[in-house]
Amino acid sequence: MKLFKFLLGAATITVGACAVAGKMRRDKQRQEELDEFLCPDIDEPIEKEIKSNESPLKHMEADIMGFKEAQEDILPVTLTYSFDSKDSAKQFQTEIAEKGLTSSSSSYDDEDKVVDVIYHDGVNESDLKILSDTLVNACTNASAEYKGFHFNK
């Protein structure tokens, strides 16, 4: 009887030890996988192509229409556009002037090939819609790329 109890105890201890060893092996494997995921080998470059969900013109429209949530004292605001050539920049400037953006002024930086449009009219929805439509058309016609905006105050 003592031998049976001894063998039963030994079998229980062996089964428990196997279970603990198996769990430790799985935990170690999971930790290694997590470590590799969080800190991949630095010799292997991580390459990820990020595709924009919005075109620069849609982004510009969203920026401009976002001004309506602001107060009048945010003005003037400068919107920046880049160009391939001086002729494209001049076409852009001419087009926005012809569309009646008299309250806007623009300047071309020959070195950086950018035009800054300074807008200081109003932030109501109709003014901003006119500004947005005019700039979208001018960007499309002159192959301009919207770079962003900043407030001048």
Side-chain angles (χ1 to χ4, degrees), residues 1 7 24-25 39 56 59 65 73-74 102 123 148:
M1 189 68 164
L7 290 176
M24 289 176 61
R25 184 175 38 84
C39 281
H59 185 71
M65 295 315 288
D73 61 357
I74 65 160
T102 56
V123 292

Side-chain angles (χ1 to χ4, degrees), residues 26-68:
R26 283 190 310 276
D27 287 350
K28 183 178 179 186
Q29 183 181 4
R30 287 180 183 154
Q31 186 63 46
E32 287 172 355
E33 290 172 357
L34 181 62
D35 289 346
E36 181 62 30
F37 176 76
L38 295 175
C39 281
D41 187 0
I42 58 172
D43 294 335
E44 298 175 20
I46 299 173
E47 295 180 13
K48 196 177 259 189
E49 186 177 330
I50 299 173
K51 294 182 180 178
S52 176
N53 292 340
E54 292 185 341
S55 71
L57 293 179
K58 290 287 183 195
H59 185 71
M60 177 190 69
E61 287 177 311
D63 285 349
I64 290 172
M65 295 315 288
F67 299 157
K68 72 181 176 186

Side-chain angles (χ1 to χ4, degrees), residues 91-149:
Q91 177 186 351
F92 176 83
Q93 289 177 298
T94 302
E95 189 166 333
I96 64 170
E98 287 175 354
K99 295 294 182 179
L101 288 180
T102 56
S103 59
S104 299
S105 60
S106 61
S107 62
Y108 178 69
D109 181 344
D110 201 23
E111 185 176 321
D112 294 330
K113 295 186 177 181
V114 297
V115 169
D116 287 331
V117 176
I118 301 170
Y119 177 74
H120 48 82
D121 198 7
V123 292
N124 66 49
E125 190 166 353
S126 64
D127 289 339
L128 294 176
K129 184 68 175 151
I130 291 168
L131 174 67
S132 176
D133 291 346
T134 301
L135 290 174
V136 165
N137 289 334
C139 285
T140 303
N141 295 338
S143 299
E145 184 178 343
Y146 175 66
K147 292 298 189 181
F149 72 93

